[in-house]
Amino acid sequence: MAQFICRDVSLGYDGKVIAEHISFEINSGDYLCIVGENGSGKSTLVRAMLKLHEPMSGEITTGDGVLPTDIGYLPQQTEVQRDFPASVREIVLSGFTGHLGAKPFYSREQKVAAMRAMERLGIDSLARHCYRELSGGQQQRVLLARALCATKKILLLDEPAAGLDPKVTGEMYSLIENLNREDGITIIMVSHDIAAAIRYATHILHIGHKRNFFGTKEEYIKSEDGRAFISLSGEDVIRT
Amino acid sequence: MSEVFEKLALYFEYPFVRNALIVGVLISLCSSLLGVTLVLKRFSFIGDGLSHVAFGALAIATVLNVSNDMIVIMPVTILCAILLLKSSSNAKIKGDAALAMLSVGALAVGYLLLNVFSTSLNISGDICTTLFGSTSILTLSRSDVWISIVMSAAVIIIFLLFYNKIFAVTFDETFAAAVGIRAGAYNMLIAIVTAVIIVLAMNLVGSLLISALVIFPSLSAMRVYKSFRAVVICSAVLSVLCSAIGIIISILASTPVGSTIVIADIVTFGIFSAVGALTGRRRGA
Ligand SMILES: Nc1ncnc2c1ncn2[C@@H]1O[C@H](COP(=O)(O)OP(=O)(O)O)[C@@H](O)[C@H]1O
Ligand SMILES: [Mg+2]
């Protein structure tokens, strides 16, 4: 049974449609890349999957025992956070807030698990550092560790490599790949980096102006949409 | 020096001085705890607007001749806090413009009401007192003291119980909402608690100076400390110390309480900025 099912979903703001007829299914262990041009509605779709945004029509359902608290999220970065006084440990631990319920404080197990998540992403030595003083790549790892605390099942990552240099981007992608391969975590990643999408994903969802594409990576490469989009950003594909 | 201590010891014989210190310390503790969140959420302007609303409400309470003015001020200010939060999250009405209208309007209406209806002989003196809180902290009634103690205790308990959730909502509201925290409800809680603190703080520093109590300690702490918890603890300590020192100096030197406290806060901010500039190697680089 699928973890996420999207049926003919239309998205928009204030009655204006941005993307429509989006349908796809994700099963446990899949690696889905959502691609499309800037402003095509990728972030909006992610927010809709998190119930932060109401679709205009269609439905998004979860299955396979997935609860709202089983989803880890890495939002597209906002500026406000950059000068925030918070240690890495505080931020990673906050990944567990959804599991707190009525309890006011984090349990010992949660603190240990937060430490594990930091070790997993190679930032355990930064635990006491201030988030705002880290490099862009380190900051993204912190947010990924936080998302990892929230879930062991599904990670929704919105442009996790935006603004990172190529080397750090590669490191970020291989961390995510490991989480998918070794830990069996389902990955749903927004990216306009088509090369990375083709390299790592098992499935591709392309949100376009005229129509959408959903299928396996192999199908996408052969498809008309895929060929057009890949040749548009051909340089990137060769570079990576 | 011993003269000063003798004088202090003498003053501490008076219950009103002890009351002023107790209430002052509690209020500054509360305002600094929440101040960190308000500053980080860019909500501090709401506190400023609410303090003017509280002044307007006080004017109404005075005109109506209510026995305990808190009964009027508290609900009115809380209601405005809720309205302001709603309007600032509604993109159609510009939140800051609505706020400016409300706060200036409240000041004007309050002043007018006091002028027209007040029976006091020294109207400007009275208004000056409510705006700058010159002596009201020293003239607290028994019930004022108890209300302050109970409300402060409630604020502190709420803050401790919801500390982790407040952190999550303050740091990244979108993430918090995504993992199932009702961010809107917590914003509401923060706004209501802010209103309570502002009404309480009006006694201590007067309505025009409340923002200083909310903003300065947290900004000072943020200059030096870099984790949320350290900033919260440091700003609480600073706020309490500045208020205690301010109250004591104002008694010894017969200066206005509110301004003296705020000046202590400003001096601390200067010191912490200097320390932060000296120790902050990578900041601003
Ligand atoms: N809160 C919002 N209100 C109105 N329009 C929005 C809002 N957020 C995004 N949009 C618009 O929706 C479109 C899609 O945005 P988004 O989902 O962020 O695109 P992407 O992530 O694919 O770049 C854009 O044209 C953007 O201007
Ligand atoms: Mg986006």
Side-chain angles (χ1 to χ4, degrees):
Chain A
M1 195 194 170
Q3 285 182 328
F4 258 111
I5 303 166
C6 237
R7 271 200 209 94
D8 199 22
V9 168
S10 298
L11 302 165
Y13 294 92
D14 306 318
K16 209 173 130 266
V17 177
I18 289 165
E20 48 188 350
H21 307 308
I22 301 173
S23 298
F24 63 90
E25 276 190 18
I26 302 158
N27 292 294
S28 177
D30 283 355
Y31 190 140
L32 173 73
C33 255
I34 304 175
V35 298
E37 281 158 35
N38 267 335
S40 57
K42 305 182 295 293
S43 296
T44 308
L45 174 62
V46 168
R47 292 169 54 78
M49 291 169 78
L50 289 162
K51 307 255 179 285
L52 299 175
H53 178 85
E54 185 75 24
M56 294 173 81
S57 66
E59 58 168 7
I60 302 175
T61 49
T62 55
D64 203 7
V66 171
L67 301 170
T69 49
D70 289 333
I71 304 167
Y73 176 43
L74 194 157
Q76 229 172 338
Q77 270 265 264
T78 53
E79 272 310 305
V80 179
Q81 295 170 18
R82 298 260 179 211
D83 59 344
F84 200 99
S87 70
V88 167
R89 185 172 173 274
E90 286 177 316
I91 294 170
V92 174
L93 254 181
S94 77
F96 285 113
T97 24
H99 300 273
L100 275 178
K103 275 178 278 163
F105 305 113
Y106 299 115
S107 69
R108 176 173 288 275
E109 292 77 43
Q110 286 170 330
K111 287 175 185 166
V112 172
M115 203 60 213
R116 292 255 164 72
M118 287 188 269
E119 281 163 13
R120 186 84 178 74
L121 299 181
I123 49 169
D124 45 322
S125 60
L126 301 174
R128 295 187 166 277
H129 281 60
C130 176
Y131 176 78
R132 69 178 177 217
E133 290 176 352
L134 303 181
S135 70
Q138 289 169 331
Q139 289 186 339
Q140 285 302 78
R141 286 185 192 211
V142 173
L143 299 187
L144 188 56
R146 176 183 68 171
L148 211 49
C149 284
T151 186
K152 292 281 162 282
K153 290 184 179 165
I154 303 179
L155 285 176
L156 274 170
L157 314 172
D158 197 344
E159 310 228 7
L164 304 182
D165 64 47
K167 178 169 172 285
V168 180
T169 300
E171 287 167 9
M172 192 73 191
Y173 284 143
S174 49
L175 278 175
I176 296 168
E177 187 183 24
N178 286 342
L179 292 174
N180 179 244
R181 297 261 168 88
E182 291 165 17
D183 303 28
I185 298 176
T186 309
I187 304 285
I188 300 167
M189 182 170 85
V190 172
S191 170
H192 53 240
D193 180 355
I194 187 71
I198 288 176
R199 177 150 168 213
Y200 296 106
T202 58
H203 293 73
I204 306 260
L205 171 67
H206 182 141
I207 305 181
H209 290 304
K210 295 193 204 93
R211 58 169 179 246
N212 308 309
F213 172 91
F214 171 71
T216 63
K217 172 172 73 182
E218 290 74 22
E219 288 165 351
Y220 182 66
I221 294 172
K222 284 183 210 133
S223 76
E224 206 180 305
D225 295 294
R227 281 208 305 258
F229 200 61
I230 291 166
S231 69
L232 261 181
S233 36
E235 265 179 287
D236 287 324
V237 180
I238 296 159
R239 180 148 47 82
T240 319
Chain B
M1 201 62 199
S2 66
E3 244 174 76
V4 175
F5 282 116
E6 265 170 40
K7 198 170 169 192
L8 266 182
L10 184 68
Y11 277 119
F12 276 103
E13 300 280 303
Y14 295 108
F16 73 87
V17 175
R18 290 200 299 267
N19 284 345
L21 260 182
I22 294 171
V23 171
V25 161
L26 282 174
I27 291 172
S28 39
L29 182 60
C30 292
S31 55
S32 64
L33 285 182
L34 226 73
V36 178
T37 304
L38 293 180
V39 167
L40 289 172
K41 273 181 104 45
R42 311 284 192 263
F43 268 7
S44 39
F45 63 94
I46 289 187
D48 197 47
L50 284 182
S51 60
H52 297 175
V53 169
F55 169 76
L58 179 86
I60 295 171
T62 310
V63 169
L64 294 178
N65 226 338
V66 201
S67 58
N68 191 332
D69 36 19
M70 290 266 194
I71 297 167
V72 176
I73 305 174
M74 197 64 93
V76 170
T77 315
I78 289 177
L79 191 72
C80 285
I82 294 171
L83 289 178
L84 281 177
L85 196 79
K86 289 269 181 229
S87 76
S88 73
S89 58
N90 179 352
K92 290 219 173 67
I93 310 164
K94 263 270 169 255
D96 49 350
L99 182 67
M101 270 163 40
L102 191 67
S103 84
V104 175
L107 266 185
V109 170
Y111 185 60
L112 189 80
L113 283 178
L114 285 180
N115 248 300
V116 174
F117 293 102
S118 177
T119 49
S120 160
L121 292 174
N122 180 12
I123 297 169
S124 0
D126 285 353
I127 291 173
C128 198
T129 304
T130 29
L131 288 180
F132 295 102
S134 36
T135 53
S136 43
I137 186 79
L138 297 175
T139 56
L140 294 172
S141 70
R142 250 190 114 73
S143 65
D144 285 338
V145 174
W146 277 112
I147 290 177
S148 299
I149 290 176
V150 170
M151 291 299 220
S152 306
V155 168
I156 293 166
I157 290 170
I158 287 175
F159 185 82
L160 290 179
L161 285 182
F162 293 107
Y163 171 84
N164 284 312
K165 283 150 195 159
I166 290 176
F167 171 80
V169 172
T170 310
F171 177 71
D172 189 343
E173 203 173 304
T174 317
F175 177 84
V179 296
I181 298 292
R182 286 183 303 156
Y186 283 96
N187 281 338
M188 194 60 81
L189 180 75
I190 291 169
I192 291 172
V193 173
T194 307
V196 171
I197 289 170
I198 280 172
V199 174
L200 294 177
M202 205 156 74
N203 280 326
L204 183 59
V205 292
S207 53
L208 283 189
L209 299 179
I210 289 171
S211 297
L213 217 55
V214 171
I215 295 170
F216 274 110
S218 38
L219 285 182
S220 304
M222 280 160 65
R223 292 280 146 158
V224 173
Y225 290 97
K226 282 154 189 182
S227 78
F228 189 74
R229 189 160 65 171
V231 166
V232 167
I233 294 172
C234 173
S235 76
V237 171
L238 286 184
S239 183
V240 165
L241 282 180
C242 286
S243 292
I245 290 171
I247 292 173
I248 289 171
I249 290 179
S250 72
I251 291 171
L252 291 176
S254 318
T255 51
V257 184
S259 327
T260 315
I261 292 176
V262 173
I263 283 164
D265 279 317
I266 294 173
V267 170
T268 321
F269 178 71
I271 296 171
F272 272 67
S273 297
V275 172
L278 289 176
T279 57
R281 300 151 304 260
R282 296 177 57 186
R283 282 206 65 205

